[in-house]
Amino acid sequence: LENKKEKIAIAKNGNQVWFIAPRFEFVSRTLDGTFPDYQGIIPKKLDAEITADKNELMGAVKLVSSLGGGTQEVTISSGEQKKTINVFSRHDHLGENTCAVSAKIEKELQEVSFNTKYLLDGLRSLSGKSVLFGTQHENKPAILRSPDDPSYFYIVMPILKR
């Protein structure tokens, strides 16, 4: 809308909604059904809690995944003396790559793997400079949140190991 005083008409009929303005018309379907109960997947008690610089962690994830032949899996584990975390990726033909990231580790992290894209999406969506990364168990959802904004969090599912 060029002019902030232009009006938009909104109409609803059944499962469709229309947004009508002087120069455009937009039609969309509304969602039907009930939204799944997401409260059950939010970790309540964390077995591992790590705080790290968000951009440093994102850089490490990008680096190991790109040098790992573009693999879609990245593994994170506690590093030496609870001062770093290791970000690791492996490719059958190209080898493996590990990057250490400075971190404050409250509770030690066992090795857990994630889809690179989903992990990066979560990190990008957070505000602030640091990220709190918490897990319940290697096969349970992990939580990402900014210590600066506790009202927002991102849940990422690990790649299940059998």
Side-chain angles (χ1 to χ4, degrees), residues 10 13 20 24 28-29 32-34 38 51 61 68 72 87 95 115 131 133 135 143 148:
I10 301 172
N13 184 7
I20 305 161
F24 75 88
S28 180
R29 283 191 335 195
D32 233 358
T34 57
Y38 64 90
T51 304
V61 170
Q72 292 299 306
V87 182
N115 178 295
V131 59
F133 176 81
T135 64
I143 189 167
D148 302 332

mmCIF file of all heavy atoms in Angstrom, residues 10 13 20 24 28-29 32-34 38 51 61 68 72 87 95 115 131 133 135 143 148:
data_model
loop_
_atom_site.group_PDB
_atom_site.id
_atom_site.type_symbol
_atom_site.label_atom_id
_atom_site.label_comp_id
_atom_site.label_asym_id
_atom_site.label_seq_id
_atom_site.Cartn_x
_atom_site.Cartn_y
_atom_site.Cartn_z
ATOM 1 N N ILE A 10 -11.798 -6.886 4.347
ATOM 2 C CA ILE A 10 -11.541 -8.287 4.686
ATOM 3 C C ILE A 10 -12.882 -9.001 4.722
ATOM 4 O O ILE A 10 -13.816 -8.545 5.386
ATOM 5 C CB ILE A 10 -10.828 -8.417 6.045
ATOM 6 C CG1 ILE A 10 -9.493 -7.667 6.008
ATOM 7 C CG2 ILE A 10 -10.604 -9.885 6.394
ATOM 8 C CD1 ILE A 10 -8.799 -7.578 7.352
ATOM 9 N N ASN A 13 -15.576 -16.383 4.021
ATOM 10 C CA ASN A 13 -16.695 -17.226 3.600
ATOM 11 C C ASN A 13 -16.234 -18.678 3.730
ATOM 12 O O ASN A 13 -15.349 -19.113 3.006
ATOM 13 C CB ASN A 13 -17.096 -16.913 2.157
ATOM 14 C CG ASN A 13 -18.310 -17.709 1.731
ATOM 15 O OD1 ASN A 13 -18.927 -18.399 2.535
ATOM 16 N ND2 ASN A 13 -18.655 -17.607 0.459
ATOM 17 N N ILE A 20 -9.031 -7.313 0.200
ATOM 18 C CA ILE A 20 -9.280 -6.553 -1.026
ATOM 19 C C ILE A 20 -8.836 -5.110 -0.812
ATOM 20 O O ILE A 20 -9.316 -4.423 0.098
ATOM 21 C CB ILE A 20 -10.775 -6.601 -1.402
ATOM 22 C CG1 ILE A 20 -11.217 -8.068 -1.504
ATOM 23 C CG2 ILE A 20 -11.039 -5.845 -2.689
ATOM 24 C CD1 ILE A 20 -12.701 -8.269 -1.420
ATOM 25 N N PHE A 24 -5.047 -4.558 -5.423
ATOM 26 C CA PHE A 24 -4.837 -5.998 -5.382
ATOM 27 C C PHE A 24 -5.944 -6.689 -4.605
ATOM 28 O O PHE A 24 -6.692 -6.068 -3.851
ATOM 29 C CB PHE A 24 -3.465 -6.346 -4.772
ATOM 30 C CG PHE A 24 -3.391 -6.182 -3.278
ATOM 31 C CD1 PHE A 24 -3.748 -7.225 -2.428
ATOM 32 C CD2 PHE A 24 -2.963 -5.000 -2.724
ATOM 33 C CE1 PHE A 24 -3.676 -7.074 -1.056
ATOM 34 C CE2 PHE A 24 -2.890 -4.847 -1.349
ATOM 35 C CZ PHE A 24 -3.257 -5.882 -0.513
ATOM 36 N N SER A 28 -7.023 -16.512 0.515
ATOM 37 C CA SER A 28 -6.309 -17.571 1.212
ATOM 38 C C SER A 28 -7.304 -18.499 1.889
ATOM 39 O O SER A 28 -8.420 -18.096 2.217
ATOM 40 C CB SER A 28 -5.373 -16.960 2.255
ATOM 41 O OG SER A 28 -4.669 -17.981 2.932
ATOM 42 N N ARG A 29 -6.881 -19.748 2.090
ATOM 43 C CA ARG A 29 -7.703 -20.696 2.852
ATOM 44 C C ARG A 29 -7.326 -20.609 4.313
ATOM 45 O O ARG A 29 -6.155 -20.438 4.652
ATOM 46 C CB ARG A 29 -7.481 -22.125 2.367
ATOM 47 C CG ARG A 29 -8.169 -22.426 1.090
ATOM 48 C CD ARG A 29 -8.158 -23.888 0.763
ATOM 49 N NE ARG A 29 -7.036 -24.614 1.390
ATOM 50 C CZ ARG A 29 -6.663 -25.801 1.037
ATOM 51 N NH1 ARG A 29 -7.279 -26.428 0.072
ATOM 52 N NH2 ARG A 29 -5.653 -26.396 1.622
ATOM 53 N N ASP A 32 -7.941 -25.679 8.945
ATOM 54 C CA ASP A 32 -9.035 -26.468 9.495
ATOM 55 C C ASP A 32 -8.476 -27.458 10.508
ATOM 56 O O ASP A 32 -7.354 -27.938 10.362
ATOM 57 C CB ASP A 32 -9.705 -27.261 8.369
ATOM 58 C CG ASP A 32 -11.195 -27.028 8.323
ATOM 59 O OD1 ASP A 32 -11.710 -26.296 9.175
ATOM 60 O OD2 ASP A 32 -11.827 -27.591 7.414
ATOM 61 N N GLY A 33 -9.232 -27.784 11.520
ATOM 62 C CA GLY A 33 -8.796 -28.801 12.475
ATOM 63 C C GLY A 33 -8.175 -28.187 13.713
ATOM 64 O O GLY A 33 -8.195 -26.978 13.916
ATOM 65 N N THR A 34 -7.602 -29.037 14.520
ATOM 66 C CA THR A 34 -6.997 -28.576 15.758
ATOM 67 C C THR A 34 -5.482 -28.640 15.640
ATOM 68 O O THR A 34 -4.927 -29.544 15.010
ATOM 69 C CB THR A 34 -7.436 -29.447 16.954
ATOM 70 O OG1 THR A 34 -7.100 -30.798 16.676
ATOM 71 C CG2 THR A 34 -8.934 -29.335 17.184
ATOM 72 N N TYR A 38 1.700 -28.972 21.279
ATOM 73 C CA TYR A 38 3.148 -28.816 21.195
ATOM 74 C C TYR A 38 3.809 -28.768 22.575
ATOM 75 O O TYR A 38 5.013 -28.945 22.696
ATOM 76 C CB TYR A 38 3.512 -27.553 20.409
ATOM 77 C CG TYR A 38 3.042 -26.286 21.081
ATOM 78 C CD1 TYR A 38 3.860 -25.620 21.982
ATOM 79 C CD2 TYR A 38 1.787 -25.759 20.825
ATOM 80 C CE1 TYR A 38 3.436 -24.476 22.617
ATOM 81 C CE2 TYR A 38 1.358 -24.616 21.455
ATOM 82 C CZ TYR A 38 2.183 -23.969 22.343
ATOM 83 O OH TYR A 38 1.758 -22.837 22.974
ATOM 84 N N THR A 51 25.902 -22.379 26.836
ATOM 85 C CA THR A 51 25.744 -21.022 26.323
ATOM 86 C C THR A 51 26.962 -20.711 25.467
ATOM 87 O O THR A 51 28.101 -20.900 25.908
ATOM 88 C CB THR A 51 25.614 -19.997 27.470
ATOM 89 O OG1 THR A 51 24.533 -20.385 28.317
ATOM 90 C CG2 THR A 51 25.341 -18.603 26.931
ATOM 91 N N VAL A 61 29.022 -24.455 12.424
ATOM 92 C CA VAL A 61 28.091 -25.389 11.768
ATOM 93 C C VAL A 61 28.228 -25.278 10.251
ATOM 94 O O VAL A 61 28.314 -26.284 9.546
ATOM 95 C CB VAL A 61 26.633 -25.146 12.228
ATOM 96 C CG1 VAL A 61 25.654 -25.942 11.385
ATOM 97 C CG2 VAL A 61 26.470 -25.478 13.707
ATOM 98 N N GLY A 68 32.437 -30.931 4.864
ATOM 99 C CA GLY A 68 32.051 -32.341 4.952
ATOM 100 C C GLY A 68 31.301 -32.796 3.712
ATOM 101 O O GLY A 68 30.540 -33.754 3.763
ATOM 102 N N GLN A 72 24.204 -33.257 5.406
ATOM 103 C CA GLN A 72 23.073 -32.644 6.090
ATOM 104 C C GLN A 72 23.077 -32.919 7.588
ATOM 105 O O GLN A 72 22.144 -32.576 8.277
ATOM 106 C CB GLN A 72 21.763 -33.148 5.475
ATOM 107 C CG GLN A 72 21.546 -32.672 4.065
ATOM 108 C CD GLN A 72 21.467 -31.164 3.988
ATOM 109 O OE1 GLN A 72 20.686 -30.528 4.671
ATOM 110 N NE2 GLN A 72 22.308 -30.565 3.166
ATOM 111 N N VAL A 87 31.894 -29.159 17.218
ATOM 112 C CA VAL A 87 30.928 -29.272 16.125
ATOM 113 C C VAL A 87 31.622 -30.134 15.073
ATOM 114 O O VAL A 87 32.721 -29.807 14.624
ATOM 115 C CB VAL A 87 30.541 -27.886 15.578
ATOM 116 C CG1 VAL A 87 29.515 -28.014 14.478
ATOM 117 C CG2 VAL A 87 30.032 -26.984 16.697
ATOM 118 N N GLY A 95 36.077 -37.345 4.173
ATOM 119 C CA GLY A 95 36.676 -37.334 5.505
ATOM 120 C C GLY A 95 35.775 -36.654 6.521
ATOM 121 O O GLY A 95 34.564 -36.645 6.394
ATOM 122 N N ASN A 115 20.074 -32.079 11.830
ATOM 123 C CA ASN A 115 20.054 -31.673 10.435
ATOM 124 C C ASN A 115 20.611 -30.258 10.393
ATOM 125 O O ASN A 115 20.142 -29.368 11.111
ATOM 126 C CB ASN A 115 18.626 -31.731 9.888
ATOM 127 C CG ASN A 115 18.542 -31.285 8.457
ATOM 128 O OD1 ASN A 115 18.798 -30.133 8.130
ATOM 129 N ND2 ASN A 115 18.148 -32.190 7.595
ATOM 130 N N VAL A 131 23.505 -17.768 22.539
ATOM 131 C CA VAL A 131 22.439 -18.762 22.443
ATOM 132 C C VAL A 131 22.583 -19.742 23.595
ATOM 133 O O VAL A 131 23.693 -20.134 23.952
ATOM 134 C CB VAL A 131 22.469 -19.490 21.075
ATOM 135 C CG1 VAL A 131 23.789 -20.198 20.848
ATOM 136 C CG2 VAL A 131 21.326 -20.471 20.954
ATOM 137 N N PHE A 133 21.713 -23.431 24.481
ATOM 138 C CA PHE A 133 21.414 -24.680 23.790
ATOM 139 C C PHE A 133 21.220 -25.731 24.868
ATOM 140 O O PHE A 133 22.108 -25.958 25.686
ATOM 141 C CB PHE A 133 22.597 -25.025 22.876
ATOM 142 C CG PHE A 133 22.490 -26.327 22.163
ATOM 143 C CD1 PHE A 133 21.743 -26.428 21.008
ATOM 144 C CD2 PHE A 133 23.147 -27.445 22.638
ATOM 145 C CE1 PHE A 133 21.662 -27.634 20.333
ATOM 146 C CE2 PHE A 133 23.069 -28.650 21.979
ATOM 147 C CZ PHE A 133 22.316 -28.744 20.820
ATOM 148 N N THR A 135 19.579 -29.740 25.933
ATOM 149 C CA THR A 135 19.021 -31.027 25.520
ATOM 150 C C THR A 135 18.593 -31.812 26.741
ATOM 151 O O THR A 135 19.105 -31.617 27.835
ATOM 152 C CB THR A 135 20.043 -31.874 24.727
ATOM 153 O OG1 THR A 135 21.136 -32.194 25.570
ATOM 154 C CG2 THR A 135 20.518 -31.163 23.488
ATOM 155 N N ILE A 143 16.383 -27.494 22.741
ATOM 156 C CA ILE A 143 15.808 -26.152 22.754
ATOM 157 C C ILE A 143 16.924 -25.134 22.537
ATOM 158 O O ILE A 143 18.023 -25.282 23.067
ATOM 159 C CB ILE A 143 15.042 -25.892 24.073
ATOM 160 C CG1 ILE A 143 14.265 -24.586 24.012
ATOM 161 C CG2 ILE A 143 15.970 -25.933 25.279
ATOM 162 C CD1 ILE A 143 13.250 -24.411 25.119
ATOM 163 N N ASP A 148 18.803 -13.176 26.178
ATOM 164 C CA ASP A 148 18.264 -11.815 26.162
ATOM 165 C C ASP A 148 16.756 -11.771 25.965
ATOM 166 O O ASP A 148 16.123 -10.768 26.277
ATOM 167 C CB ASP A 148 18.925 -10.995 25.044
ATOM 168 C CG ASP A 148 20.431 -10.927 25.200
ATOM 169 O OD1 ASP A 148 20.910 -11.009 26.353
ATOM 170 O OD2 ASP A 148 21.122 -10.790 24.178
#
